Amino acid sequence: MQTNAQQLTTQRLILRPWNDGDAEALYKYASDPAIGLIAGWEPHASVEHSLEIIRTVFAAPETYAMVLRETGEPVGCAGIMTADSRHSAPAAGSEAEIGYWIGKPYWGMGLTPEAVSCLVSRCFTTLGCERVWCVHYDGNMQSRRVMEKCGFRFHHSETDKPTPLGDRRTEHMFVITRNDYNNLHKAQ
């Protein structure tokens, strides 16, 4: 894995900041109800809506377009949220949360675990985190499987949590600590 201030590179992906030129590709995947609804957000309604998301939500630090190295197309999003980030997760100073989604045509190809593993590494080796969280809503087994593949362990569940959609769901919290990460990489 290579890292610099602007992008991260994995075997099959480039993780880079979103730009206005990505709006059509974002809309192509984020307009699919199978993507947003399970993650708790409305499907994108137009290319203009996707552009607005790029300029606001995806402008947050450590928010990356998941770009296929082979084609240059953004096919998903992954990001690190810290206590001092815009749109941050409720995490202590030495903790972070990783969030992600990928377009349905790319489900089951191992791209999301590849991106998440890269961000976990960044959290522990570059950002100085001691603990990293991932959260999924009840029923989102694809997201849970990504967490498990990346070394996260179930921590607890919280019921009756409001979502951006206005409903209430159960959230399942997974965590990986610095010790877990170090032990996982010693074993490899």
Side-chain angles (χ1 to χ4, degrees):
M1 177 187 75
Q2 298 174 322
T3 63
N4 64 39
Q6 293 302 311
Q7 73 180 26
L8 309 169
T9 305
T10 70
Q11 181 181 353
R12 298 177 292 167
L13 297 169
I14 296 170
L15 304 179
R16 61 152 173 81
W18 287 88
N19 62 61
D20 288 358
D22 297 330
E24 281 191 40
L26 175 57
Y27 174 70
K28 177 179 173 180
Y29 299 110
S31 62
D32 184 342
I35 306 298
L37 296 177
I38 199 164
W41 45 268
E42 287 286 340
H44 291 200
S46 65
V47 172
E48 293 76 22
H49 179 211
S50 292
L51 179 60
E52 180 64 22
I53 296 297
I54 288 170
R55 291 178 174 172
T56 56
V57 178
F58 291 176
E62 300 291 332
T63 302
Y64 300 93
M66 292 172 41
V67 178
L68 295 175
R69 289 179 74 169
E70 188 175 296
T71 65
E73 181 184 25
V75 297
C77 184
I80 302 167
M81 299 164 283
T82 59
D84 58 355
S85 297
R86 278 182 28 201
H87 312 288
S88 67
S94 63
E95 297 182 356
E97 180 180 343
I98 294 177
Y100 49 85
W101 64 266
I102 194 165
K104 193 172 183 179
Y106 301 96
W107 289 4
M109 295 183 172
L111 292 167
T112 306
E114 189 173 313
V116 171
S117 291
C118 178
L119 295 184
V120 167
S121 177
R122 180 165 175 76
C123 286
F124 290 120
T125 63
T126 304
L127 302 179
C129 293
E130 292 299 322
R131 187 181 286 209
V132 179
W133 297 89
C134 272
V135 178
H136 76 85
Y137 289 124
D138 205 33
N140 190 345
M141 295 310 294
Q142 300 98 318
S143 188
R144 181 185 188 116
R145 189 69 193 118
V146 168
M147 294 172 200
E148 292 169 345
K149 286 180 180 179
C150 294
F152 286 83
R153 291 186 288 172
F154 176 76
H155 190 271
H156 71 282
S157 296
E158 295 182 10
T159 59
D160 203 34
K161 301 288 287 188
T163 77
L165 292 172
D167 60 352
R168 300 182 92 66
R169 301 185 190 181
T170 298
E171 290 181 329
H172 303 287
M173 314 288 182
F174 283 68
V175 68
I176 185 170
T177 65
R178 178 179 291 280
N179 285 341
D180 295 336
Y181 174 79
N182 290 339
N183 289 336
L184 183 65
H185 288 275
K186 282 180 194 173
Q188 292 178 349

